[in-house]
């Protein structure tokens, strides 16, 4: 279960004005490469998510992908460069979670 976004990344040296405008307009419309998904396994209370876009000052926002999300109450416990640790309540079901990284 991976969410793949492949919006264009510009070359800082050769990007044309038109390409910059296209990427900027897409960004204004909310099309960002800062999303992902992970699963909280059943009967666990800690999940480490590896994502190279995460930094120690990032903000991670969650979105439920199934009804079990609300019973596990996930929260970011630790932010590292390249990963974050999610603490949750122990439960009997695997729970799919989408996230967005800001910063």
């Amino acid at each position: 279960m991976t969410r793949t976004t492949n919006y264009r990344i510009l070359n800082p040296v050769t990007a044309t004005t038109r390409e910059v405008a296209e990427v900027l307009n897409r960004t204004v419309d909310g099309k960002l490469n800062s999303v992902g998904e992970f699963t909280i396994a059943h009967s666990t209370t800690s999940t480490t998510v590896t994502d190279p876009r995460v930094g120690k000052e990032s903000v991670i926002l969650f979105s439920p992908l199934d009804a079990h999300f609300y019973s596990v109450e996930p929260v970011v416990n630790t932010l590292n460069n390249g990963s974050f640790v999610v603490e949750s309540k122990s439960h009997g079901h695997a729970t799919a979670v989408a996230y967005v990284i800001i910063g």
Side-chain angles (χ1 to χ4, degrees):
M1 168 187 55
T2 58
R3 182 178 304 241
T4 305
T5 54
N6 292 315
Y7 300 112
R8 184 189 304 208
I9 297 172
L10 297 177
N11 181 318
V13 176
T14 62
T16 66
T17 304
R18 181 181 179 132
E19 290 172 327
V20 171
E22 178 185 331
V23 169
L24 183 57
N25 286 335
R26 190 171 293 127
T27 301
V28 169
D29 287 340
K31 306 301 183 193
L32 305 173
N33 287 336
S34 59
V35 298
E37 293 180 1
F38 67 95
T39 300
I40 300 173
H42 71 289
S43 301
T44 60
T45 59
S46 181
T47 304
T48 300
V49 180
T50 302
D51 191 317
R53 300 169 297 181
V54 176
K56 290 183 178 181
E57 296 180 2
S58 296
V59 173
I60 311 296
L61 305 174
F62 296 132
S63 179
L65 294 177
D66 60 42
H68 303 297
F69 176 86
Y70 299 102
S71 63
V72 299
E73 299 178 13
V75 62
V76 174
N77 185 39
T78 308
L79 281 169
N80 301 304
N81 289 327
S83 68
F84 59 96
V85 178
V86 177
E87 297 295 328
S88 60
K89 290 183 176 180
S90 183
H91 48 85
H93 301 283
T95 303
V97 181
Y99 64 92
V100 62
I101 305 163
I102 300 175

